[in-house]
């Protein structure tokens, strides 16, 4: 796919072709939260999908639909990173300047807002993919009902329907999961929905999340009871060779992620079935899930975070609220104590070798972060607190290779740290928690080992690398550094559930204004200091030093 070489500011208003939900399904709004359905497209769709090869092509594209719904730039990938103060950028592109500046403001959900794609694209792209998956699954079901499940047009032409169903259902579940994590409510649409007669209602995010997990469970059941493979040549998983057994593990890990990340506040995070999270993690991935980027050849096989999020010269820097807590010089405490508009770049001195390659010299690159030293590419009038001394570089090989290569999307460390959190919340072994943290704290950070005797601490403990810090504080640091720029939104979802978002940050987003307008519903939004759906005050510093921003 040919991509326009975006520059800061230029990409913020780039046009993107999207289909309204009403267009994709031929839906007509009734002017309330109920949606009467008239499927005007059904005759054309049944003709278009009469050939098995067409259905197979549609199914293959559902992973592209999932990937683009979240990992592309106009779909909020970098926007969510800056919203969580993972990356820092004050460029207007994708709403980064508006929503990561302080004090936080409410999301502009109008149909005329120039950066509306950051919520419109995930919504409409997800539903486009959901529509494709449902159409394909319904086509297979019609063939099986007309003839038989084991001898129909698909099987006679050599297609393994179990392989097709598992893939379509997996991506159908993932796209519902995306909607549940980002929006306060959404429609639940699986292949059981009859678009000619059913009345659909917007469902709250917890219901959408439960539906996503149910659908993923159906995909897992198909994969568990059958044997098949998606080869590198097939390219269904972006250059990966995935058999049905590995697919089951991937699905289990996605379920664990959705279970944890749906929480909007600390109370909801605490109420998660953490025992079930442990089960999902234990049955999940044993190697990183890293689709292979192929920007030279195929549409969609591209990762916005790993492109623009590692360009410290023009686009972004690593936010001090993520890497600053590792500082041992007092510079971060001074930065926090400085009035917001007066904050400037300072040099981080830390023993964490991922940030600094030398524990004394702050100018030596770490394994994951590159020292820049200069203020950054952002206009000072937009707030010098956006400046930072470092940019992320862990996936520079992907960037330097012309956006070709591994794109880690779900790593084993993410799962290990979910399990560590689950053990902390359920009274599990603190020694096991320490061991899980040390997998990266020691091997990659070169820090002194965490110990069970450090004490659990509390979920509200501030991120820290210090030996004297609690296991909770150390876990937070490992998660922030290790999952940096893997899956879009992870830092935002974690901060939200743990109560660490900057005050006023939206905890989720409204149904896009264009959709509300089509459905005849009143516009609404979230966020802003003191606003509905705005995060309460949070602090990501060192609570035991009793330092607070002022």
């Amino acid at each position: 796919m040919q991509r326009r070489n975006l520059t800061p500011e230029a990409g913020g208003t780039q046009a993107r072709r999207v289909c309204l939900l009403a267009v994709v399904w031929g839906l007509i709004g009734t002017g309330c939260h109920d949606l009467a359905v008239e499927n005007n497209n059904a005759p054309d769709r049944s003709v278009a999908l009469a050939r098995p090869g067409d259905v197979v092509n549609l199914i293959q594209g559902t992973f592209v639909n999932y990937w683009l719904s979240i990992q592309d730039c106009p779909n909020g990938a970098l926007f969510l990173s800056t919203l969580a103060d993972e990356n820092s950028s004050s460029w207007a592109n994708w709403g980064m300047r508006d929503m990561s500046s302080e004090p936080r403001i409410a999301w502009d959900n109008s149909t005329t807002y120039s950066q509306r794609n950051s919520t419109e694209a995930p919504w409409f792209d997800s539903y486009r993919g959901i529509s494709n998956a449902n159409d394909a699954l319904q086509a297979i079901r019609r063939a099986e009902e007309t003839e038989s499940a084991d001898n129909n047009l698909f099987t006679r032409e050599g297609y393994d329907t179990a392989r097709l169903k598992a893939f379509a259902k997996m991506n159908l579940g993932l796209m519902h999961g995306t909607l549940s994590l980002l929006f306060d409510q959404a429609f639940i649409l699986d292949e059981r929905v009859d678009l000619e007669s059913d009345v659909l209602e917007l469902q709250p995010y917890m219901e959408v999340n439960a539906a996503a997990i149910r659908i993923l469970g159906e995909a897992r059941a198909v994969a568990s009871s059958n044997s098949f493979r998606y080869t590198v040549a097939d390219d269904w998983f972006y250059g990966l060779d995935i058999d049905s057994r590995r697919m089951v593990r991937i699905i289990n890990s996605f379920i664990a992620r959705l279970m944890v990340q749906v929480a909007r506040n600390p109370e909801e995070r605490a109420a998660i079935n953490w025992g079930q999270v442990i089960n999902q993690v234990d049955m999940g991935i044993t190697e990183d899930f890293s689709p292979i980027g192929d920007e030279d050849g195929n549409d969609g096989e591209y990762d916005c975070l790993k492109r623009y999020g590692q360009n410290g010269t023009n686009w972004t820097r690593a936010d001090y609220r993520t890497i600053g807590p590792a500082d041992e010089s007092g510079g971060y405490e001074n930065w926090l104590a400085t009035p917001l508009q007066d904050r400037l770049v300072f040099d981080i001195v830390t023993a964490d070798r991922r940030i600094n390659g030398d524990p004394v010299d702050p100018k030596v690159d770490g394994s994951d972060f590159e020292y820049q030293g200069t203020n950054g590419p952002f206009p000072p009038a937009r707030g010098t607190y956006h400046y930072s001394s470092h940019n992320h570089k862990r996936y520079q090989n992907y960037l330097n290779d012309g956006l070709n290569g591994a794109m880690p999307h779900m790593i084993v460390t993410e799962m290990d740290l979910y399990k560590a959190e689950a053990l902390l919340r359920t009274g599990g072994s603190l020694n096991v928690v320490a061991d899980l943290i040390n997998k990266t704290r020691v091997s990659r950070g070169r820090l002194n080992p965490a110990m069970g005797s450090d004490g659990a601490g509390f979920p509200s403990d501030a991120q820290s690398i210090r030996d004297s810090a609690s296991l909770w504080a150390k876990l937070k640091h490992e998660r922030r550094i290790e999952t940096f720029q893997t899956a879009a939104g992870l830092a935002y979802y974690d901060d939200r559930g743990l109560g660490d978002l900057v005050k006023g940050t939206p905890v989720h987003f409204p149904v896009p204004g264009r959709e509300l307008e089509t459905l005849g519903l009143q516009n609404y939004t979230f966020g802003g200091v003191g606003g509905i759906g705005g995060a309460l005050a949070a602090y990501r510093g060192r609570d035991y030093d009793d330092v607070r921003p002022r």
Side-chain angles (χ1 to χ4, degrees), residues 84-85 319-327 332-333 352 354-355 369 441 458-466 469-482 484 495 498 500 539-544:
D85 297 303
D319 199 292
Y320 274 142
R321 290 185 182 272
T322 289
I323 60 174
D327 175 62
Y332 184 55
E333 281 90 347
D352 191 331
R354 292 164 293 191
I355 300 172
F369 295 88
R441 174 180 168 86
F458 301 93
S460 58
D461 287 354
Q463 171 188 343
S464 176
I465 66 165
R466 288 189 176 182
S470 69
L471 291 174
W472 263 109
K474 292 170 181 172
L475 182 154
K476 283 188 176 184
H477 181 74
E478 291 308 303
R479 183 146 51 198
R480 291 291 289 193
I481 300 301
E482 289 294 322
F484 201 111
D495 278 5
L498 294 169
D500 286 336
Y539 169 65
R540 191 183 297 129
R542 294 199 175 115
D543 53 0
Y544 45 81

Side-chain angles (χ1 to χ4, degrees), residues 202-219:
L202 287 164
Q203 301 295 328
Y205 60 88
M206 282 294 189
E207 296 298 323
V208 182
N209 188 262
I213 291 171
R214 170 181 60 78
I215 296 168
L216 286 171
E218 293 171 1

Side-chain angles (χ1 to χ4, degrees), residues 131-154:
S131 174
N132 290 341
N134 285 334
D135 285 344
L137 290 166
Q138 289 167 356
I140 294 172
R141 186 179 65 190
R142 285 195 298 270
E144 292 177 342
E145 290 173 349
T146 301
E147 301 180 70
S148 69
D150 57 359
N151 184 24
N152 56 66
L153 185 58
F154 287 88

Side-chain angles (χ1 to χ4, degrees), residues 201-253:
E201 297 181 3
L202 287 164
Q203 301 295 328
Y205 60 88
M206 282 294 189
E207 296 298 323
V208 182
N209 188 262
I213 291 171
R214 170 181 60 78
I215 296 168
L216 286 171
E218 293 171 1
R220 178 180 58 195
V222 175
S224 297
S225 56
N226 293 275
S227 179
F228 49 75
R229 182 179 296 275
Y230 309 93
T231 68
V232 171
D234 293 332
D235 203 34
W236 286 34
F237 278 99
Y238 284 3
L240 298 181
D241 189 304
I242 305 288
D243 63 16
S244 50
R245 289 179 297 176
R246 187 178 176 193
M247 185 183 197
V248 169
R249 289 192 172 276
I250 291 170
I251 290 171
N252 283 329
S253 290

Side-chain angles (χ1 to χ4, degrees), residues 369-535:
F369 295 88
E370 179 180 32
Y371 180 78
Q372 293 281 338
T374 58
N375 289 335
F378 320 126
R382 297 183 179 185
T384 56
Y385 59 91
H386 288 287
Y387 292 164
S388 167
S389 57
H390 286 72
N391 65 270
H392 193 248
K393 68 160 192 171
R394 185 174 180 180
Y395 307 118
Q396 278 285 338
N397 287 341
Y398 167 78
L399 182 63
N400 295 336
D401 237 1
L403 312 185
N404 297 289
M407 304 180 294
H409 185 61
M410 185 164 61
I411 61 176
V412 173
T413 301
E414 179 189 344
M415 296 297 123
D416 286 341
L417 296 177
Y418 290 152
K419 185 172 183 177
E421 179 173 349
L423 291 171
L424 286 172
R425 291 185 182 275
T426 57
S429 168
L430 296 187
N431 289 330
V432 174
V433 172
D435 288 343
L436 291 167
I437 291 171
N438 288 335
K439 284 187 177 184
T440 52
R441 174 180 168 86
V442 175
S443 65
R444 298 193 69 250
R446 306 291 180 88
L447 297 165
N448 292 330
M451 308 289 287
S453 57
D454 294 337
F458 301 93
S460 58
D461 287 354
Q463 171 188 343
S464 176
I465 66 165
R466 288 189 176 182
D467 293 343
S468 59
S470 69
L471 291 174
W472 263 109
K474 292 170 181 172
L475 182 154
K476 283 188 176 184
H477 181 74
E478 291 308 303
R479 183 146 51 198
R480 291 291 289 193
I481 300 301
E482 289 294 322
T483 64
F484 201 111
Q485 294 186 160
T486 51
L490 281 189
Y492 170 67
Y493 305 141
D494 265 320
D495 278 5
R496 174 176 70 185
L498 294 169
D500 286 336
L501 288 173
V502 168
K503 183 177 181 180
T505 305
V507 298
H508 49 204
F509 293 90
V511 174
R514 290 182 63 190
E515 186 72 290
L516 294 171
E517 186 176 273
T518 299
L519 300 176
L521 300 176
Q522 184 175 354
N523 205 328
Y524 66 100
T525 196
F526 298 109
V529 177
I532 296 173

